[in-house]
Amino acid sequence: MANKKKGNEWLRLLRQPMVLSVLVLSVAFATAMAIPGVRHNLGTKLDAGANLFLFDGDVEGEGESADAAPNSADPNGKKPNRIKRIVGAPVRLFARLFKGGKDNDVARKSNDKDAGRMKIVPVNRTINGVPGEMADTNGTTREASTAEAAAQNLFDEAVALHDKGRLDGAIEKLVAATVLQSNFAEAFNLLAVCHDEKGDYKAAQEEYKKALKLDSSNARFLNNIGYSYYLSGDNGNAVKWYNKGLKVTPNDRRMHNNIGLAYGRKGDYDKARDHFKIAVGDTGANLNLGYVYSQQGKFDQAIKHYEAALQAQPNSMPALSNLAQLYERTGRLREAASLNEQYKKLNTAARQKDQTADQDQDQ
């Protein structure tokens, strides 16, 4: 009798629409896993949207706290939504199964210091400031067509949106501009820059190539596509495009610095040094090589180069700061403390000097 009662309870539970949906989803996913090729395709889609189904501390990806308890209450004191957890569970589970153990997030291969060293150059307005006229690639002007004028207006609006960080809006304007004017190289370049800043490097590289097809000797475009490949972790292509850029502008110190970083990441330290020396001189080359080695966890080599830079310039604040950190990391605490003290004194003196200069300007 008791067993019959329990059986009736299970039947009533199975008749619940929510529970039935969960069972259908689970069976569907299990069936999909058995079909060759489906696992990979589904995994890509599910992983991209997995965060839409994360509840109550189930955290994936960078930027989220991995310490949140799965059953903890939210900040307002409310208990977790159990229905959402039940519905979301199969999606989260299969997203993780399909994802696998390999980390494909190429954006993590770069960091803020890299971005600070290798700036993308987004725009160079094609209009010369005179309404109704457009500048050609050779610098001459001609009367703009209606479509070109409209495209230029969209481009200017996109520039303003980009500067405000509204990348999706800028992309929308730029796509429209390139439809109106298919030879608008600067619009393709800025479109690529927006994609780069969103971390969509493949889309960015496609747009840079469209810009370069229209203006193949544009050093800014060449620098930008090299940087995009560097950000995506493709150092071979980064070097290739930087070398093309250096053929156009062989004395471009920024490009030499950038290709030096790409060579350093590839492990070709001799070529990295050669380009760093052209870009920033001997002391700067040692600082950059110290940075490259430290990023790769080769602390002894990094220390060697930072020490060489400090010997050449005893008051070099970058050398003092970075070397002190490496000394701390490698257990050389007394030397680290000494360098930190020296750094603080120099930093205080520099601030006082800046304050004095500001006061003189105000007077």
Side-chain angles (χ1 to χ4, degrees):
M1 190 70 179
N3 291 335
K4 184 177 181 181
K5 186 176 180 180
K6 287 183 179 179
N8 291 334
E9 289 177 356
W10 276 108
L11 286 174
R12 282 196 298 273
L13 181 61
L14 289 173
R15 287 171 185 164
Q16 294 291 326
M18 190 65 66
V19 176
L20 186 59
S21 298
V22 173
L23 290 174
V24 171
L25 274 173
S26 300
V27 172
F29 276 115
T31 303
M33 287 181 67
I35 301 175
V38 172
R39 176 186 171 94
H40 174 74
N41 293 333
L42 283 177
T44 302
K45 293 180 173 62
L46 284 173
D47 194 36
N51 286 334
L52 297 176
F53 301 91
L54 298 180
F55 302 99
D56 307 323
D58 279 317
V59 179
E60 284 187 351
E62 283 188 333
E64 301 285 347
S65 172
D67 296 327
N71 296 315
S72 60
D74 69 14
N76 297 321
K78 296 180 181 179
K79 291 184 178 180
N81 188 325
R82 187 171 298 276
I83 297 299
K84 288 183 178 181
R85 286 186 58 78
I86 293 173
V87 174
V91 182
R92 293 195 303 273
L93 172 61
F94 283 96
R96 287 166 180 161
L97 286 174
F98 291 141
K99 181 178 180 182
K102 185 177 180 181
D103 186 357
N104 292 319
D105 187 358
V106 293
R108 299 179 191 177
K109 296 181 180 178
S110 62
N111 55 48
D112 292 339
K113 287 188 178 180
D114 291 337
R117 290 162 181 264
M118 305 202 308
K119 294 293 184 184
I120 289 179
V121 186
V123 295
N124 180 20
R125 294 172 184 267
T126 57
I127 197 166
N128 69 347
V130 181
E133 289 188 346
M134 298 291 291
D136 290 329
T137 54
N138 61 5
T140 60
T141 59
R142 59 181 172 78
E143 183 141 356
S145 68
T146 303
E148 288 173 332
Q152 183 65 48
N153 289 334
L154 287 166
F155 177 81
D156 290 339
E157 292 172 7
V159 171
L161 290 169
H162 169 268
D163 291 346
K164 294 176 182 177
R166 296 169 60 184
L167 299 178
D168 290 332
I171 288 172
E172 183 179 344
K173 299 286 185 183
L174 291 165
V175 169
T178 56
V179 170
L180 288 171
Q181 186 182 346
S182 60
N183 64 341
F184 201 163
E186 289 290 349
F188 284 116
N189 176 63
L190 182 55
L191 181 56
V193 170
C194 291
H195 283 304
D196 262 336
E197 292 177 0
K198 285 172 65 72
D200 192 353
Y201 304 123
K202 185 176 181 180
Q205 290 148 18
E206 290 174 357
E207 300 302 330
Y208 285 130
K209 288 174 183 176
K210 292 176 185 176
L212 285 163
K213 189 174 182 179
L214 296 165
D215 190 0
S216 60
S217 61
N218 190 306
R220 290 184 302 106
F221 299 172
L222 291 165
N223 177 74
N224 289 355
I225 191 172
Y227 181 53
S228 181
Y229 276 110
Y230 179 90
L231 289 176
S232 70
D234 188 346
N235 301 301
N237 269 315
V239 166
K240 182 186 81 172
W241 288 103
Y242 283 137
N243 273 321
K244 288 185 178 182
L246 286 172
K247 289 180 180 178
V248 178
T249 55
N251 298 319
D252 189 330
R253 293 174 63 192
R254 178 194 59 212
M255 199 100 67
H256 279 291
N257 191 69
N258 292 354
I259 196 173
L261 288 168
Y263 272 127
R265 188 186 273 178
K266 283 185 67 178
D268 195 337
Y269 304 111
D270 290 337
K271 286 185 179 179
R273 175 185 277 280
D274 291 341
H275 286 283
F276 285 149
K277 287 175 70 174
I278 296 172
V280 290
D282 286 330
T283 301
N286 278 316
L287 287 172
N288 280 358
L289 284 168
Y291 165 76
V292 168
Y293 279 121
S294 65
Q295 290 296 300
Q296 296 173 354
K298 299 177 179 179
F299 301 133
D300 290 340
Q301 293 94 325
I303 287 172
K304 175 184 174 182
H305 286 286
Y306 280 129
E307 286 176 339
L310 190 60
Q311 185 176 2
Q313 288 187 357
N315 291 333
S316 169
M317 294 181 69
L320 286 167
S321 175
N322 286 291
L323 189 54
Q325 292 180 44
L326 286 170
Y327 280 161
E328 287 178 359
R329 180 168 289 187
T330 55
R332 299 166 65 174
L333 302 182
R334 184 173 296 178
E335 292 167 286
S338 176
L339 292 182
N340 279 324
E341 187 64 27
Q342 186 179 348
Y343 177 86
K344 288 178 183 178
K345 289 179 181 179
L346 289 170
N347 191 38
T348 300
R351 287 183 179 180
Q352 291 174 347
K353 185 177 180 180
D354 290 339
Q355 289 174 356
T356 303
D358 290 341
Q359 290 172 357
D360 292 343
Q361 287 181 354
D362 292 339
Q363 293 174 357

